Amino acid sequence: MKIAIIGAGEMGSALARDLAEAGHPVTIGSRDADRAQAIAGRVGAASGGGYEQAAAASEVVVLTVPWQAVRQIVPGLPLDGKILIDATNPYLDDSFDGRESVWSVREEFPAGESGASVIQALAPGASVVKAFNHIWAVTAQRGFGETRPAVFVCGDDASARTVVMGLAADIGYDPHDAGGLERARWLEALTPLVVALEDPNVALTVEHVPPR
Ligand SMILES: NC(=O)c1ccc[n+]([C@@H]2O[C@H](COP(=O)([O-])OP(=O)(O)OC[C@H]3O[C@@H](n4cnc5c(N)ncnc54)[C@H](OP(=O)(O)O)[C@@H]3O)[C@@H](O)[C@H]2O)c1
């Protein structure tokens, strides 16, 4: 699958490397096209370019920019008919200094709304799927040995969820269908816990217990 990464930072580079290693043609999108090409070479991605160019060339677009940049960047991307994976977290301050303050900087949304629903409204022609937001980039980059960390996936388009679960499985995760996009609110609430633990060696896993 042709995949674009929008935002070539820590998380974008880690996902790009993983997806490229799994055999997907990945285009890195950066505000600086030269930087995108350099990072593409480093992580084994097929190519690099500007945000718009990367999104236009791909079927699946992965958003890995800071929350503060989302409202400015998303409306300018050609996303109609594409799957938009939202890996962002709606923090007003991305300094991530851990512990209690993580909660105090989270953007508040009305009931049922989330960062992902804001993104869906900014890109009405795309199928937004929330995924990977609660994974540490450093863990994604170095792998997890025998463990397959859980990745929860939610979005209103069931076929898009299936595609994203397939991509998550391709790169070593244990994907779980978390339902419609209204659940993104809870996936976004999971990240402060993961961050507060301050331990990228912790991976969430899910076991199915047989019914009694
Ligand atoms: N790091 C993690 O462990 C992790 C894990 C899960 C989810 N996330 C989420 O992924 C997103 C990116 O996090 P990150 O840790 O990868 O951040 P990062 O290393 O700072 O990278 C973010 C990238 O976004 C691009 N960008 C676009 N507009 C920007 C702006 N106004 N200011 C700064 N950067 C801008 C930049 O790439 P270009 O210059 O190439 O355009 C930058 O390198 C966040 O929403 C975060 O919550 C991060």
Side-chain angles (χ1 to χ4, degrees):
M1 263 195 137
K2 292 188 201 160
I3 300 171
I5 302 287
I6 303 300
E10 200 185 0
M11 189 57 173
S13 302
L15 286 176
R17 172 176 284 125
D18 288 350
L19 289 162
E21 277 176 5
H24 296 284
V26 173
T27 303
I28 303 262
S30 170
R31 292 171 293 183
D32 176 343
D34 291 339
R35 185 169 167 269
Q37 280 173 10
I39 292 173
R42 212 160 61 225
V43 303
S47 56
Y51 287 159
E52 213 181 316
Q53 187 188 351
S58 305
E59 305 155 90
V60 174
V61 178
V62 190
L63 191 63
T64 53
V65 297
W67 176 250
Q68 296 90 324
V70 159
R71 289 182 174 92
Q72 191 197 339
I73 291 169
V74 173
L77 299 176
L79 293 168
D80 283 0
K82 297 175 196 259
I83 295 172
L84 176 59
I85 301 179
D86 169 23
T88 69
N89 286 291
Y91 296 98
L92 298 175
D93 171 355
D94 64 0
S95 57
F96 274 152
D97 65 350
R99 304 181 199 91
E100 296 305 315
S101 59
V102 164
W103 280 110
S104 68
V105 296
R106 189 165 172 252
E107 182 160 340
E108 295 297 331
F109 299 103
E113 300 294 314
S114 62
S117 69
V118 168
I119 289 170
Q120 182 65 82
L122 294 170
S127 293
V128 173
V129 176
K130 187 99 206 174
F132 302 113
N133 66 298
H134 58 84
I135 298 296
W136 288 97
V138 282
T139 321
Q141 211 152 6
R142 60 139 212 259
F144 338 97
E146 296 295 302
T147 305
R148 286 172 70 83
V151 162
F152 297 101
V153 172
C154 72
D156 289 338
D157 178 344
S159 60
R161 290 202 304 269
T162 301
V163 169
V164 176
M165 287 193 289
L167 293 176
D170 287 350
I171 59 173
Y173 293 98
D174 175 23
H176 290 268
D177 190 338
L181 203 64
E182 75 278 3
R183 301 267 174 81
R185 189 174 173 78
W186 309 120
L187 295 196
E188 290 165 6
L190 197 52
T191 307
L193 172 67
V194 172
V195 173
L197 294 174
E198 293 187 280
D199 185 357
N201 295 310
V202 170
L204 302 178
T205 59
V206 173
E207 298 291 333
H208 288 277
V209 180
R212 301 178 71 182

